[in-house]
């Protein structure tokens, strides 16, 4: 009797509206401004992608998680908001993890959301489908890692991930989403209440007034000051403040590769073409969002004119960055915008720019080197060398300063970076701090999707091979991407030989004269085989102005290119050779 009346009461009651883990996760992301997810579908997140698309998010499916992850990382750099990548469990997660670590090393905000197996099975190692303790593996490789076990915690999990990614020094965050969580249900009203819209996720950090004065004093005393702009300054989107500070100080500046365009490379204070001179001669170096890591020779050695007594001033949002390689005489801990503004205020109207003895010497060096380079860029060699091809690409970007240049490879990277001027902020996305190969297609897709601007991806033939299948993704979404493959038949060069005399090709060479352009044609895009600067020029113009997915196979002399590009000195063999030479010299 009692049972019957309870059953009756339940059937009379209005049905509670339910929601589930899928929808709570999507709602939480949307509530925090996420608009795009870079993903590869599969168990257990296939429906998550479908529902997210249904709820108005843009869900882009890639052919490999690594490219999806690289796209999310680049999106973080370009937008100052976390780029979101979504993968399946174990292998998909591991594929995405390289990109998460890359985002973290680059100080870019990214969230990797991976489906995972059930805790009960994973923790007892019972052998589940794609069983892996993903949270434990992710932790040492990212800024923060969280797992959500209950639907009512999804709001908190997403809020923590968003805040961790963008606050302070930005970085990569891992969010572990067990399959069972997605299917959990709860009351829809309670569910909505459990979501959090993060307030002020990346609060401003103001430098102290004494730190500002100290920095100004050091810079005032300098006779040969230099500014180095890093990708942190590009990321900060404080373009006006950075430009105003650099111009008011009047120091020559060197942009790191992804800071190119923050002030145009053609700016009268740009010292890129006098890099050796300024690094060696400067007595005071002001780092703005750039680390003194390997990319700057750790601030020591021959290129810095060691032994040196240079004074360093550094703006960085991470206090731990200070003194990491060299003593920092005037650390400015804070965000780029607040620090630049405080310095400008502190300088007032009475700032004296450095003497023309210094700035004039730098300009003269720049002019000489630019003129020397110009003649190399207009050669009509057949087959093309890198400079002939890059002369064309330099002009293509000068004519279209809104286009984004994506770049990877060894020689294709080093030479493009030094030849192709960038004219606006965040218009160059490349291999980043690790110098990763295979980021090109992910970078290009994110650049096109996030900005709507045309993209020119200059790729070494080897680098392209790591992510080439994404040309299908580019065609599927009909993105305005023009890929130029600098095809010299191999890694570094295409003419190496097998030292054993055996039948196998050398370890660094590919099939000669590969027809990469046909890959693009296979998916309905435009493929062009270009042997001369004229052919390259025509194809690039058509692609950049027409916006159709295009792959240009630029045939480069297999003998062009040097071992490891500009970083051959990092090869252990070079170190061994140098030691042998030293020992020989000493014994004589
Ligand atoms: P590059 O390789 O171009 O020299 P790095 O990646 O080495 O640049 O350095 C970027 C630096 O910028 C990092 O140390 C990071 O902490 C810092 N950074 C990132 N965002 C900001 C910001 N908004 N304000 C201040 N510093 C920032
Ligand atoms: Mg090559």
């Amino acid at each position: 009797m009692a049972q019957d009346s309870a059953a009756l009461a339940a059937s009379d009651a209005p049905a509670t509206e339910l929601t589930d883990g899928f929808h709570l996760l999507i709602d939480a992301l949307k509530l925090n401004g996420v608009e795009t997810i870079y993903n590869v579908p599969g168990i257990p997140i296939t429906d998550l992608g479908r529902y997210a698309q249904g709820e108005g998010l843009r869900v882009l499916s890639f052919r490999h998680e690594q490219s999806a992850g690289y796209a999310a990382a680049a999106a973080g750099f370009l937008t100052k908001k976390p780029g979101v990548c979504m993968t399946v469990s174990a292998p998909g997660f591991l594929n995405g993890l390289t990109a998460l670590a890359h985002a973290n090393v680059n100080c870019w905000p990214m969230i990797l959301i991976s489906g995972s197996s059930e805790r009960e099975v994973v923790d007892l190692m019972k052998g589940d489908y794609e069983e892996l303790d993903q949270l434990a593996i992710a932790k040492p490789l990212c800024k923060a890692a969280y797992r959500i076990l209950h639907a009512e915690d999804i709001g908190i999990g997403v809020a923590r991930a968003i805040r961790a990614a963008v606050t302070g020094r930005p970085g990569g965050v891992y969010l572990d989403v067990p399959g069972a969580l997605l299917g959990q249900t709860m009351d829809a009203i309670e569910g909505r209440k459990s979501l959090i819209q993060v307030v002020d996720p990346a609060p401003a950090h103001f430098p102290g007034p004494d730190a500002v004065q100290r920095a100004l004093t050091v810079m005032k005393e300098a006779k040969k000051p230099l500014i180095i702009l890093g990708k942190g300054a590009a990321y900060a989107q404080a373009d006006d403040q950075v430009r105003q500070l650099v111009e008011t100080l009047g120091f020559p500046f060197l942009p790191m590769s992804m800071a190119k365009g923050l002030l145009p490379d053609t700016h009268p204070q740009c010292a890129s073409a006098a890099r050796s001179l300024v690094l060696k001669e400067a007595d005071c170096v002001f780092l703005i969002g750039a680390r003194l890591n390997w990319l700057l020779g750790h601030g020591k050695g021959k290129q810095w004119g060691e032994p040196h007594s240079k004074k360093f001033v550094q703006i960085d949002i991470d206090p731990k960055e200070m003194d990491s390689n060299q003593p920092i005489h005037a650390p400015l801990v804070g965000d780029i915008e607040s620090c630049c503004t405080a310095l400008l205020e502190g300088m007032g109207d009475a700032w004296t720019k450095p003497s023309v003895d210094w700035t004039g010497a730098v300009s003269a060096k720049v002019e000489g080197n630019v003129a020397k380079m110009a003649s190399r860029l207009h050669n009509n060699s057949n087959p093309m060398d890198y400079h002939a091809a890059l002369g064309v690409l330099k002009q293509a970007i000068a004519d279209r300063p809104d286009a984004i240049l994506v770049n990877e490879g060894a020689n294709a990277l080093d030479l493009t970076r030094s030849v192709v001027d960038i004219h606006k902020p965040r218009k160059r996305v490349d291999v980043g701090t690790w110098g990763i190969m295979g980021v090109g297609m992910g970078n290009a897709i994110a650049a096109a999707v996030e900005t709507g601007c045309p993209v020119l991806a200059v790729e070494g033939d080897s680098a392209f091979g790591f992510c080439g299948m994404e040309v299908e993704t580019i065609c599927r979404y009909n993105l305005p991407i023009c890929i130029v493959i600098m095809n010299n038949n191999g890694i570094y060069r295409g003419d190496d030989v097998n030292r054993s005399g055996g039948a196998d090709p050398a370890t660094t060479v590919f099939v000669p004269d590969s027809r990469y352009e046909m890959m693009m044609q296979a998916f309905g895009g435009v493929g062009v085989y270009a042997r001369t600067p004229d052919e390259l020029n025509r194809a690039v113009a058509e692609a950049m102005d027409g916006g159709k997915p295009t792959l240009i196979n630029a045939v480069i002399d297999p003998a062009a290119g040097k071992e490891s590009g500009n970083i051959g000195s990092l090869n252990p063999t070079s170190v061994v050779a140098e030691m042998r030479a030293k020992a020989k010299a000493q014994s004589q």
Side-chain angles (χ1 to χ4, degrees):
M1 179 66 200
Q3 257 178 3
D4 285 351
S5 62
L8 201 66
S11 68
D12 277 352
T16 9
E17 198 197 332
L18 292 178
T19 185
D20 57 31
F22 288 109
H23 290 90
L24 285 166
L25 186 53
I26 293 161
D27 290 347
L29 292 170
K30 281 176 69 177
L31 186 63
N32 285 287
V34 173
E35 291 167 356
T36 307
I37 297 178
Y38 299 92
N39 102 127
V40 178
I43 296 171
I45 52 106
T46 316
D47 280 339
L48 186 56
R50 285 196 184 109
Y51 290 138
Q53 192 175 47
E55 298 287 330
L57 282 165
R58 186 148 198 219
V59 183
L60 296 149
S61 291
F62 284 65
R63 304 302 294 259
H64 193 285
E65 290 88 355
Q66 213 171 72
S67 289
Y70 290 145
F77 168 68
L78 291 168
T79 65
K80 224 182 164 184
K81 294 195 296 195
V84 177
C85 172
M86 203 159 78
T87 78
V88 303
S89 34
F93 155 77
L94 290 171
N95 287 344
L97 196 56
T98 310
L100 186 69
H102 155 75
N104 203 45
V105 164
N106 283 278
C107 315
W108 295 345
M110 169 180 166
I111 301 175
L112 174 68
I113 300 176
S114 293
S116 62
S117 306
E118 300 327 315
R119 295 289 346 129
E120 291 78 357
V121 184
V122 174
D123 289 349
L124 278 172
M125 299 174 74
K126 290 180 168 181
D128 204 359
Y129 165 73
E130 297 193 345
E131 175 184 296
L132 191 73
D133 189 356
Q134 297 170 196
L135 186 73
I137 290 166
K139 262 184 192 162
L141 294 171
C142 60
K143 188 175 171 191
Y146 307 106
R147 174 162 46 227
I148 310 172
L149 288 175
H150 304 290
E152 61 265 32
D153 288 333
I154 287 176
I156 287 178
V158 170
R160 299 215 70 186
I162 300 256
R163 195 178 282 284
V166 294
T167 204
R169 171 182 276 180
V173 177
Y174 175 59
L175 197 57
D176 193 90
V177 176
L181 171 78
L182 297 170
Q184 280 179 25
T185 55
M186 71 181 283
D187 177 85
I189 297 168
E190 289 305 311
R192 262 196 293 280
K193 278 198 226 154
S194 72
L195 302 185
I196 296 172
Q197 186 172 15
V198 179
V199 177
D200 197 11
H205 283 238
F206 300 97
D210 48 342
V212 173
Q213 272 321 312
R214 192 186 299 118
L216 288 173
T217 306
V218 171
M219 292 197 282
K220 232 179 254 170
E221 284 165 2
K223 298 274 180 292
K224 297 176 173 181
L226 168 70
I227 291 169
I228 298 182
L229 297 167
K231 60 181 172 301
Y235 168 81
Q237 295 192 17
D239 307 338
D240 292 344
Q241 289 85 348
V242 170
R243 185 176 183 137
Q244 207 190 330
L245 180 63
V246 173
E247 290 183 341
T248 313
L249 284 169
F251 302 175
F253 71 87
L254 271 186
M256 299 299 287
S257 72
M258 289 180 61
K260 277 162 71 79
L262 208 41
L263 284 85
D265 283 333
T266 48
H267 191 282
Q269 284 167 255
C270 181
S272 290
R275 184 186 164 93
S276 312
L277 174 90
V278 291
L279 284 184
K280 204 172 277 172
E281 299 267 318
D283 60 354
C284 169
V285 180
F286 178 20
L287 299 152
I288 307 182
R291 286 171 285 184
L292 273 180
N293 55 17
W294 75 277
L295 286 157
L296 282 168
H298 307 282
K300 61 183 185 189
K302 252 202 302 204
Q303 61 167 323
W304 286 86
E306 209 167 51
H308 67 70
S309 53
K310 298 180 200 300
K311 290 201 164 162
F312 288 97
V313 178
Q314 183 166 24
I315 298 181
D316 206 289
I317 200 149
D318 186 352
K320 293 196 305 298
E321 185 56 38
M322 306 300 166
D323 310 319
S324 56
N325 285 276
Q326 292 291 323
I328 302 299
H329 296 81
L332 279 159
V333 176
D335 67 275
I336 306 269
E337 181 172 344
S338 303
C339 290
C340 290
T341 307
L343 286 170
L344 280 163
E345 278 168 11
M347 287 160 76
D349 298 326
W351 184 260
T352 316
K353 292 187 177 173
S355 87
V356 287
D357 291 351
W358 171 235
T359 52
V362 176
S363 302
K365 188 80 190 167
V366 167
E367 275 161 33
N369 283 348
V370 167
K372 246 188 256 166
M373 174 72 88
S375 59
R376 297 190 66 188
L377 298 177
H378 295 296
N379 80 67
N380 233 336
S381 60
N382 190 352
M384 285 188 283
D385 63 12
Y386 284 100
H387 287 87
L390 287 171
V392 169
L393 302 181
K394 179 187 169 100
Q395 193 56 45
I397 292 290
D399 294 343
R400 300 166 189 83
D402 282 320
I404 296 187
L405 181 75
V406 164
N407 190 199
E408 63 172 333
N411 292 283
L413 176 80
D414 292 333
L415 295 169
T416 305
R417 184 178 54 228
S418 63
V419 168
V420 179
D421 290 331
I422 303 293
H423 307 271
K424 293 187 172 185
R426 293 171 298 285
K427 293 296 184 184
R428 187 184 152 91
V429 191
D430 63 30
V431 299
T433 302
W434 266 350
I436 304 193
M437 295 300 109
V439 289
M441 296 304 101
N443 284 352
I445 292 169
V449 166
E450 300 290 342
T451 70
C453 297
V455 176
L456 179 66
V458 180
E459 299 271 314
D461 51 344
S462 159
F464 174 74
F466 288 81
C467 52
M469 193 62 202
E470 302 299 342
V471 293
E472 189 276 329
T473 312
I474 292 169
C475 288
R476 188 163 13 107
Y477 295 107
N478 193 25
L479 298 171
I481 295 173
C482 171
I483 304 161
V484 175
I485 297 189
M486 299 290 207
N487 186 5
N488 67 345
N489 294 351
I491 300 171
Y492 311 134
R493 299 163 64 102
D495 58 358
D496 201 4
V497 292
N498 180 340
R499 270 113 174 116
S500 79
D504 283 348
T507 54
T508 54
V509 303
F510 300 141
V511 170
D513 201 26
S514 295
R515 300 301 296 261
Y516 293 105
E517 76 281 8
M518 291 179 183
M519 288 175 68
M520 193 56 120
Q521 291 164 353
F523 303 109
V526 178
V528 181
Y529 184 68
R531 280 155 304 188
T532 64
D534 279 348
E535 287 171 359
L536 179 61
N537 190 28
R538 264 197 305 277
V540 169
E542 198 163 309
M544 300 292 284
D545 299 336
K548 281 202 198 120
T550 300
L551 192 157
I552 304 168
N553 184 355
V555 181
I556 303 286
D557 185 351
K562 58 180 184 178
E563 180 83 8
S564 304
N566 280 357
I567 53 174
S569 62
L570 298 182
N571 280 331
T573 32
S574 328
V575 178
V576 173
E578 203 174 306
M579 274 165 51
R580 283 198 184 125
K582 243 189 215 164
K584 197 171 161 198
Q586 272 165 3
S587 70
Q588 278 166 1

